[in-house]
Amino acid sequence: MEKFNLKTLQAFRAGEKKKFKNKEVQDLTTILVGMGTCGKAAGAAETLRAFSDLVKKSGFKNIEIKQTGCMGSCYAEPTVEVWSPGMPDTLYGRVTPAVAGRIMETHVMQKQLLSDYVYDKPAIDILE
Amino acid sequence: MVHKKFIIVCGGESCSGKSSLQIYDNINKELVAGGFRDEIQVVKGGCLGFCGEGPLVKIIPDETLYVGVKSGDAEEIVNSHIKKGKEVSRLLYDRKKSTRNVRLPGTDFYQKQFRIILRNCGVIDPENINEYIARDGYTGLEKALFEMTPDDIIEELKVSGLRGRGGAGFPTWMKWDFTKKENSDVKYIVCNADEGDPGAYMNRSTIEGDPHSIIEAMIIGGYTVGANEGYIYIRAEYPIAIQRLEMAIQKARNYGLLGKDILGSSFDFDIELRLGAGAYVCGEETALLASIEGSRGMPRPRPPFPATKGLWGKPTVINNTETWANIPVILTKGGKWFASIGTETSKGTKVFALTGKVNNSGLVEVPLGTTLREVIFDIGGGIKDGKKFKAAQSGGPSGGVIPEEYLDVPIDFESLKKLGAIMGSGGLIIMDEDDCMIDIAKFYMQFAVDESCGKCSPCRIGGKQLLETLELISKGKGNMEHMTSLKRISEAMQKASLCGLGQNTPNPVLSTMKYFEDEYIEHIKDKKCHSGSCKSLLSYVIDPEKCIGCGLCAMKCPVNCISGEKRKPYTINQIECIKCGSCYEVCKFSAVIME
């Protein structure tokens, strides 16, 4: 690809900003699975696969499954964050493949929080 | 059905024990009675931290945190907060009660953590450069290349007050300034990601979660001091971090963010990875540089410091991963903003890997000036199984222990040093009443003996002597003169060792001796270890009152030293006992006692 200069990078960033975490405008649900070494050791890869399979099987549109780094809550791995339109950004802990199914059903479809697995987000986002 | 508000009732162990489930039920009933079922959902959450103040109820998106809630408070919470939109002030967490003397920009509700270094960890896909860019990634670099001179950048760092996060806390701007002022055709930038402290994983998580922040920072560093090449020295034991860094470097090259003529600025910079060979001492900067050069990783005396004579004899800026991760934010948000966080002498935040006997172990980033108590009890949720806190070990093998009476000291570079521990890279291991301090000192000494490079004798011989003395004490063969010799050897090592590793090796011994002298004396004079860690000082005996004479212990004993008649109390032959603890574990009647 062509290399960026100052102008093209800034234009590119403006475009990417519109795409990133803009759940209401895009009507998009994002499921982030913490895939650091700690998460993977606790089974995050299976959780990620479970989410992907569920999305494929159900034919949901407007949903993306992504990997991310460590969320810091080692005691509650695997950890997953869900950004869904009309819902507060939510951190879930101890998300096994079975819990993944319940998150899809309760949080994504019914727009309710899934009891027992909600954890507190540790900090505000300094970039928002 | 879309809920407008959510009420989270903490379902953590501590809160559940204080009837938080009853609170959950009552709030649910009140919501139904008030006709709010369609707008408000109440859920049980995992541990919200902050266990000392429980039971906790949090309302989002309002970010209201109620503490010390009782089941009878449900009605008022629903009536006042939900119905009238008025917070129940008597249940609000009183921010003034917090001992923290730190200011946080832009927050008016209670925040346990503040994330600068980990800003993107858990938010972006680390393998997708576009997401980093979307989150203002590489704007710091743009600013540096097109709006600032190298002197402006150093001035900004000076204003920010950023100090090296590798442990010693040297002002970063000064390091950069030394290198910048050197007259040399070639200069280098190095990132130290050779994280080796036991229990520490801050750097690994930072790189795994946000590799571009390091790359961006190193390019800025190169532009500032006039270097065109950078090296990241990373542990070979971090395969995911290495893979993501390699990917990130390749993508940055494709985008023209690394390589020739970066963003059309005519500045060239590129980065190479060097994998560590697994030696702890390679985290020491001169040993690390030797290792990059292909030599054996051994420290050399300083001065000359790497800033003037570093990699291949050329001026080199070497900073810790965490220090680098701060740089892009300091440029985009300004040094002043950064300096508004933290204490007088220590600005910004620090990432800790909180492990050990704490309920909520994890990666924690807090403003400097936060107290240990807040980290361990408000964020870490207190000690496991309701045990008593004994000490926190900070700074790894070079650090020391901090006992309970200093839990309220604000954490910064100076305060920890005064206590005989160090900030170190950020490993924070929590110990409870079951941990023996002599055992802990022994563990770190064994580590230091294994990892000493052997070049200088104070470290090579001193560490071994300290370890052997500690072993004597833990076996009940110590005498009071050993205390004096531990101290004497430690002081000699501090003065005469070549590098930071040897100079700091005695810290675990000195700090445990300082704060837990009683425990040393107990081992030496009474030949006892009350935590039961020092096996040689233990004896297992059978309580004849409790023993029913089932004979299970005698059956399990690997050395056949337990004898007796069925249905009569058994006895253990103390001379033959090897103290394996098998009898203690199998006895169903708690008749085997540790003494």
Side-chain angles (χ1 to χ4, degrees):
Chain A
M1 67 164 281
E2 208 177 312
K3 297 196 166 167
F4 283 124
N5 61 37
L6 179 62
K7 261 205 173 138
T8 51
L9 176 63
Q10 285 173 340
F12 179 76
R13 181 180 299 113
E16 288 300 312
K17 266 186 189 270
K18 278 186 199 138
K19 280 198 262 169
F20 187 78
K21 207 177 178 185
N22 199 356
K23 58 186 187 185
E24 306 296 343
V25 175
Q26 293 182 302
D27 189 25
L28 179 70
T29 293
T30 305
I31 294 176
L32 293 143
V33 183
M35 292 273 278
T37 295
C38 40
K40 280 190 170 176
E46 285 76 35
T47 303
L48 184 83
R49 203 173 313 122
F51 274 117
S52 305
D53 289 348
L54 284 165
V55 171
K56 248 185 249 154
K57 228 192 274 166
S58 61
F60 284 134
K61 294 232 165 65
N62 298 347
I63 183 161
E64 57 174 1
I65 315 292
K66 290 198 314 197
Q67 67 164 348
T68 186
C70 164
M71 302 189 189
S73 306
C74 311
Y75 64 100
E77 293 288 354
T79 46
V80 165
E81 190 164 325
V82 186
W83 303 337
S84 198
M87 292 290 282
D89 298 343
T90 311
L91 177 68
Y92 286 107
R94 296 180 287 121
V95 184
T96 57
V99 176
R102 294 175 60 194
I103 289 176
M104 288 293 284
E105 209 166 281
T106 314
H107 190 111
V108 181
M109 310 276 294
Q110 298 167 5
K111 302 278 177 208
Q112 293 194 38
L113 294 184
L114 178 62
S115 205
D116 294 326
Y117 297 93
V118 182
Y119 281 77
D120 200 16
K121 289 193 60 168
I124 51 153
D125 188 343
I126 60 161
L127 295 177
E128 265 181 9
Chain B
M1 184 171 64
V2 177
H3 292 275
K4 285 190 193 133
K5 274 192 180 71
F6 299 91
I7 304 176
I8 303 173
V9 180
C10 180
E13 217 171 285
S14 158
C15 286
S16 304
K18 293 184 212 155
S19 70
S20 73
L21 298 180
Q22 190 60 45
I23 299 169
Y24 167 83
D25 285 341
N26 288 5
I27 290 180
N28 217 355
K29 273 182 217 148
E30 292 295 332
L31 288 177
V32 175
F36 294 109
R37 278 303 308 261
D38 293 344
E39 293 161 59
I40 320 281
Q41 186 197 359
V42 56
V43 292
K44 280 175 267 178
C47 179
L48 302 176
F50 224 20
C51 306
E53 301 276 345
L56 307 170
V57 171
K58 188 167 182 178
I59 301 184
I60 48 175
D62 309 8
E63 294 293 339
T64 307
L65 180 68
Y66 290 127
V67 298
V69 181
K70 299 199 170 55
S71 52
D73 295 330
E75 189 194 343
E76 193 175 349
I77 291 175
V78 172
N79 259 329
S80 178
H81 191 120
I82 302 298
K83 211 179 216 167
K84 300 183 192 139
K86 230 182 104 202
E87 288 183 331
V88 185
S89 50
R90 68 180 177 88
L91 295 175
L92 281 176
Y93 174 65
D94 183 4
R95 254 158 264 146
K96 287 183 213 108
K97 263 202 312 204
S98 166
T99 49
R100 72 171 56 192
N101 55 354
V102 283
R103 296 144 292 169
L104 293 180
T107 53
D108 51 356
F109 54 85
Y110 182 76
Q111 278 291 307
K112 286 180 275 214
Q113 299 190 41
F114 193 74
R115 295 192 158 178
I116 297 174
I117 297 141
L118 301 174
R119 60 194 177 276
N120 284 322
C121 287
V123 181
I124 62 166
D125 176 354
E127 294 179 12
N128 186 347
I129 185 174
N130 296 356
E131 294 197 353
Y132 180 73
I133 290 174
R135 301 254 308 159
D136 291 332
Y138 292 104
T139 48
L141 177 66
E142 286 173 10
K143 220 169 157 185
L145 292 178
F146 298 98
E147 292 169 32
M148 298 172 92
T149 64
D151 284 322
D152 292 341
I153 297 172
I154 286 179
E155 185 55 33
E156 201 69 53
L157 283 184
K158 196 172 171 182
V159 170
S160 78
L162 176 67
R163 296 169 63 176
R165 295 293 195 257
F170 192 77
T172 306
W173 74 269
M174 250 191 235
K175 237 184 198 181
W176 289 30
D177 203 36
F178 288 147
T179 304
K180 184 185 158 280
K181 284 186 180 141
E182 285 296 312
N183 216 339
S184 172
D185 50 340
V186 181
K187 295 177 186 176
Y188 294 103
I189 295 291
V190 175
C191 169
N192 183 349
D194 190 51
E195 182 175 51
D197 287 358
Y201 52 94
M202 299 76 52
N203 293 172
R204 186 192 74 205
S205 298
T206 308
I207 293 173
E208 281 176 0
D210 195 13
H212 284 283
S213 65
I214 309 298
I215 295 171
E216 181 182 357
M218 289 176 71
I219 308 169
I220 295 169
Y223 169 75
T224 309
V225 304
N228 302 102
E229 280 173 68
Y231 289 91
I232 301 176
Y233 189 88
I234 183 167
R235 288 185 77 175
E237 294 90 338
Y238 285 175
I240 300 175
I242 293 166
Q243 183 203 342
R244 287 186 182 157
L245 263 180
E246 279 171 345
M247 222 181 252
I249 290 171
Q250 196 48 51
K251 285 195 179 151
R253 281 189 193 132
N254 293 347
Y255 275 14
L257 294 161
L258 276 177
K260 296 244 171 267
D261 190 21
I262 292 169
L263 297 179
S265 67
S266 76
F267 172 65
D268 306 336
F269 192 80
D270 213 335
I271 294 176
E272 272 186 49
L273 291 191
R274 282 289 184 276
L275 305 193
Y280 180 71
V281 72
C282 285
E284 197 280 337
E285 57 182 19
T286 58
L288 187 151
L289 296 177
S291 178
I292 293 182
E293 291 170 5
S295 313
R296 186 171 161 187
M298 286 203 290
R300 60 155 178 82
R302 298 174 303 179
F305 286 93
T308 52
K309 259 188 176 3
L311 198 54
W312 288 293
K314 302 291 183 187
T316 303
V317 167
I318 171 164
N319 280 132
N320 177 269
T321 306
E322 199 173 310
T323 314
W324 287 115
N326 278 301
I327 304 283
V329 184
I330 291 175
L331 288 205
T332 47
K333 290 197 170 258
K336 249 190 173 160
W337 174 86
F338 190 84
S340 72
I341 305 152
T343 67
E344 206 49 53
T345 57
S346 304
K347 303 297 187 192
T349 59
K350 179 78 194 82
V351 183
F352 291 100
L354 185 63
T355 56
K357 307 272 180 66
V358 66
N359 278 318
N360 301 343
S361 57
L363 203 63
V364 166
E365 182 173 349
V366 289
L368 288 165
T370 305
T371 66
L372 262 180
R373 189 184 298 281
E374 286 172 297
V375 172
I376 298 166
F377 290 91
D378 294 354
I379 299 171
I383 311 299
K384 266 187 187 159
D385 302 324
K387 297 250 166 144
K388 208 170 154 311
F389 170 84
K390 185 167 189 178
Q393 210 281 346
S394 157
S398 305
V401 294
I402 302 164
E404 191 172 9
E405 59 255 46
Y406 296 106
L407 275 181
D408 291 315
V409 174
I411 306 171
D412 67 22
F413 290 102
E414 279 69 29
S415 66
L416 291 189
K417 207 161 186 184
K418 231 188 270 165
L419 291 180
I422 58 164
M423 177 94 77
S425 54
L428 199 57
I429 302 173
I430 309 305
M431 291 167 285
D432 71 8
E433 51 190 310
D434 291 344
D435 291 309
C436 164
M437 287 298 133
I438 285 90
D439 200 45
I440 300 289
K442 242 170 62 188
F443 168 80
Y444 284 107
M445 238 13 71
Q446 182 66 57
F447 184 88
V449 167
D450 290 345
E451 295 293 347
S452 169
C453 78
K455 184 172 179 177
C456 72
S457 38
C459 175
R460 183 182 66 239
I461 301 170
K464 183 81 180 151
Q465 290 304 316
L466 288 180
L467 177 64
E468 284 177 359
T469 311
L470 288 171
E471 271 169 356
L472 284 178
I473 295 175
S474 79
K475 281 183 182 148
K477 293 176 186 160
N479 56 49
M480 288 309 282
E481 272 160 39
H482 284 141
M483 297 285 281
T484 328
S485 67
L486 281 177
K487 218 162 164 206
R488 233 183 39 236
I489 298 168
S490 295
E491 278 162 7
M493 288 178 75
Q494 283 178 326
K495 282 195 197 114
S497 294
L498 190 56
C499 80
L501 177 59
Q503 287 156 13
N504 290 317
T505 288
N507 284 354
V509 178
L510 288 174
S511 73
T512 47
M513 275 171 63
K514 181 171 167 193
Y515 297 119
F516 298 95
E517 199 185 356
D518 295 355
E519 217 166 301
Y520 276 85
I521 293 173
E522 184 192 36
H523 280 69
I524 293 171
K525 289 198 169 152
D526 308 342
K527 315 282 177 210
K528 288 268 178 247
C529 172
H530 70 264
S531 67
S533 305
C534 298
K535 290 268 183 236
S536 316
L537 298 182
L538 268 184
S539 47
Y540 290 95
V541 289
I542 293 173
D543 181 352
E545 304 269 303
K546 284 187 182 165
C547 179
I548 61 151
C550 69
L552 189 60
C553 55
M555 240 157 66
K556 292 281 174 189
C557 178
V559 291
N560 296 322
C561 74
I562 307 181
S563 56
E565 257 177 73
K566 286 263 175 201
R567 279 183 282 280
K568 281 187 186 157
Y570 277 56
T571 49
I572 301 174
N573 180 340
Q574 295 300 333
I575 297 165
E576 283 171 30
C577 175
I578 57 164
K579 291 159 192 178
C580 69
S582 299
C583 52
Y584 180 78
E585 276 158 31
V586 297
C587 181
K588 293 191 178 101
F589 307 94
S590 312
V592 181
I593 325 165
M594 272 195 296
E595 277 186 354

